[in-house]
Structures are given as C-alpha cells and as structure tokens.
C-alpha cells in the first residue's frame, strides 16, 4: 500500500455491507465526505461512524467537489444512479463496486468512470482485513485506470486490472467458492443441530479442506463416497435427508462421480 492522501475527497453511495466496509477502509486513507442512501437513517448511521462526514438521502444533495464517487449498492440499483448522476467536476471519477455490472453502465452519464471491485464477502458481523482484499480495477481510459489503481493501493496491497469479462469470471468463481460453499456449511450445521451439535465440531475438517485446496489443486484432494463410487453409503445418506437436501446431495455426488470415472470403491 502507499502513503495515505487525506486530501482526496470521496462520496460513498450506499449504506449496506460493502459500503460500510469500503467507507471505513477509504476513510483511513482519504476523506469520505458524504454517505448517500435513499433511506435517511441508514445514511446517518454509516456517516456517524466516520469523521466529519455528512449523510444525504437525495442525489441532488450530493457534493459536486469530490474526487471519487464510489457506488456501492445492489447491482440492480446501479443503473438508476447512473441515469441520475449530478453534474460533478470534470475530473471526478464515478465507479461501482459490482463484480457483474459492466463499467459502461456509466457511459455517456459522466466524464470519467470505472469499476472499484473488492473480491471479498462482507457482512456486518465480521471485520475485514482490507489490506489483503484483491481490488479489481477497470476504467474508461488509461488515466482513469491509473487514478482508481492509485486509490485502491491506499487500502489494499493486492490491486490488479480486470476488464468486465474477467471480473464476471472471478465473480462466478467466487459464488461457487463462497456463497455455495457457505450454503453447504449451513446445511451441515442444520444436520448437526438436529442432534444437539453444531458446525464447530467440523472446524478441523473445514480448515484442513481449505488448506488442502489452497496448497494443491482442489480436484487432486477430493475425497468422499462419491469419488469412491460408494453407492451404498450414498444411498444411505440420501435416505436420511429431507427432500431438498437429498436433491442437493444427489446432484453434487453425481457431479463428483462423473469427474472421477476410473476410481475404485
């Protein structure tokens, strides 16, 4: 990371999980001067966690003298904001934080635009070590890319360029690695809680699984009854599950079995 530049002024549009963590990280390196949210209490709540930061709930109230406008809202709300961008300064950069929305959602709506995407999952319960979060940058011009790159380096030691095609690929991979994996953990936790246990019982297993996947190719360290084509155990497991969980088990087991056709039980 580079030396903070507190003279950089930033407006954050959004007040959810991404906006909350982004505002905290950026405010340590620059000055977040405003938080926008159409829900006034949400804007006030986030602004109150920052120094000298104003909360606004109308786009017409947004200050026009900021250097960066970071749009950290749900994907389907980005285009509405882009369609109503106020007349900010000529040097201002507008960027969203989405992994799936193309940068050109801002095309024709503002002078300089891009993407400022943190490849991480965010919630209000867990602190994020932002310095380790990969920041993926895209811009309408090389000059915009450089400015967004420099801003990202204020908060992360892992900054790289990624166009819309690559960013969508990274987001897709992240859905499997994070969202789908977490759902599997939730199901495991539900199964364990049905008999008075919880997911902490599997903590060593979870940590070993992640370590194995990161130290080798995940397909090389796959284990379990589906890889072994152990149909009796698979059938027994499915019989013990409610229908929705059983269907997930069946589909995933079939996928694993098909990936290892030559394995022996």
């Amino acid at each position: 990371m580079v030396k903070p530049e507190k003279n950089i002024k930033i407006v954050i549009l959004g007040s959810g999980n991404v906006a909350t963590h982004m505002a905290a990280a950026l405010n340590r390196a620059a000055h977040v001067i405003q938080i926008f949210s159409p829900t006034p209490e949400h804007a006030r709540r986030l602004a109150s966690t920052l120094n000298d930061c104003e909360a606004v709930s109308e786009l017409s109230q947004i200050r026009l003298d900021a250097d960066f406008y970071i749009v950290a809202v749900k994907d389907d709300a980005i285009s509405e904001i882009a369609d109503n961008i106020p007349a900010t300064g000529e040097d201002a950069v507008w960027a969203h934080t989405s992994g799936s929305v193309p940068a050109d959602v801002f095309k024709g709506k503002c002078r300089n635009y891009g993407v400022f995407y943190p490849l991480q999952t965010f919630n209000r319960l867990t602190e994020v070590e932002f310095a380790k979060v990969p920041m993926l940058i895209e811009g309408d011009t090389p000059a915009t890319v450089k400015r967004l790159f420099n801003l990202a380096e204020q908060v992360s030691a892992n900054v790289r360029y990624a166009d819309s095609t690559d960013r969508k690929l990274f987001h897709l991979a992240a859905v499997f690695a994070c969202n789908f994996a977490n759902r599997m953990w939730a199901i495991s936790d539900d199964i364990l809680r049905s008999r008075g246990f919880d997911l902490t019982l599997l903590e060593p297993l979870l940590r070993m699984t992640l370590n194995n996947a990161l130290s080798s190719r995940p397909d090389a360290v796959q284990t379990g009854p589906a890889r072994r084509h152990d149909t009796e155990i698979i059938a027994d497991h499915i019989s013990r599950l409610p229908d929705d969980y059983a269907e997930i088990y069946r589909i995933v087991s079939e996928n694993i079995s098909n990936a290892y056709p030559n394995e022996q039980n």
Side-chain angles (χ1 to χ4, degrees):
M1 295 187 296
V2 298
K3 183 179 178 180
E5 296 185 32
K6 298 297 286 186
N7 59 321
I8 295 176
K9 293 180 288 188
I10 300 172
V11 172
I12 303 286
L13 294 91
S15 58
N17 293 334
V18 176
T20 297
H21 287 276
M22 184 72 73
L26 287 173
N27 201 55
R28 289 192 290 268
H31 181 197
V32 177
I33 60 174
Q34 269 187 336
I35 299 294
F36 161 84
S37 172
T39 306
E41 58 266 34
H42 293 175
R44 288 194 294 268
R45 181 179 62 196
L46 180 51
S48 69
T49 67
L50 308 170
N51 295 325
D52 191 23
C53 182
E54 178 187 19
V56 297
S57 56
E58 300 288 341
L59 285 173
S60 60
Q61 297 174 308
I62 287 179
R63 284 178 55 170
L64 307 180
D65 61 336
D67 300 289
F68 295 93
Y69 296 81
I70 306 298
V71 181
V73 298
K74 294 187 295 184
D75 288 2
D76 57 5
I78 294 174
S79 60
E80 181 180 354
I81 289 177
D83 288 339
N84 293 280
I85 288 177
T88 50
E90 287 190 358
D91 292 331
V93 174
W94 284 75
H96 67 67
T97 61
S98 169
S100 298
V101 177
D104 63 10
V105 68
F106 294 117
K107 189 174 183 178
K109 314 293 175 58
C110 57
R111 186 179 180 91
N112 313 297
Y113 60 86
V115 177
F116 198 73
Y117 173 50
L119 186 57
Q120 180 58 282
T121 181
F122 298 97
N123 64 70
R124 296 186 188 277
L125 302 177
T126 308
E127 289 293 324
V128 173
E129 191 174 356
F130 226 99
K132 295 183 178 180
V133 175
M135 290 295 302
L136 306 182
I137 303 303
E138 184 180 4
D140 62 316
T141 67
T144 301
V145 170
K146 183 177 180 180
R147 291 183 63 193
L148 286 170
F149 218 94
N150 289 342
L151 180 64
E153 288 182 326
Q154 301 280 341
V155 297
S156 173
N158 187 358
V159 183
R160 64 185 67 192
Y161 177 83
D163 62 20
S164 292
T165 299
D166 284 345
R167 198 171 62 256
K168 286 183 178 181
L169 184 72
F170 297 153
H171 189 222
L172 174 59
V175 167
F176 274 92
C178 175
N179 306 136
F180 289 177
N182 190 75
R183 182 57 189 155
M184 296 298 186
W185 297 342
I187 292 172
S188 295
D189 189 56
D190 190 29
I191 291 169
L192 290 167
R193 286 180 185 275
S194 70
R195 295 301 297 265
F197 304 101
D198 63 35
L199 195 64
T200 58
L201 182 68
L202 301 183
E203 181 179 352
L205 174 67
L206 295 178
R207 294 189 183 280
M208 179 64 75
T209 301
L210 178 59
N211 289 340
N212 287 344
L214 293 176
S215 63
S216 181
R217 285 180 58 99
D219 59 354
V221 294
Q222 180 72 50
T223 60
R227 176 166 183 169
R228 299 190 304 268
H229 303 284
D230 197 333
T231 56
E232 289 187 9
I233 289 181
I234 291 171
D236 179 66
H237 285 176
I238 289 175
S239 72
R240 297 171 182 271
L241 293 169
D243 289 346
D244 54 342
Y245 290 176
E247 181 65 6
I248 293 172
Y249 190 108
R250 184 192 64 77
I251 291 172
V252 175
S253 292
E254 183 176 309
N255 182 271
I256 294 172
S257 292
N258 290 340
Y260 302 92
N262 298 319
E263 297 290 314
Q264 299 295 320
N265 184 0

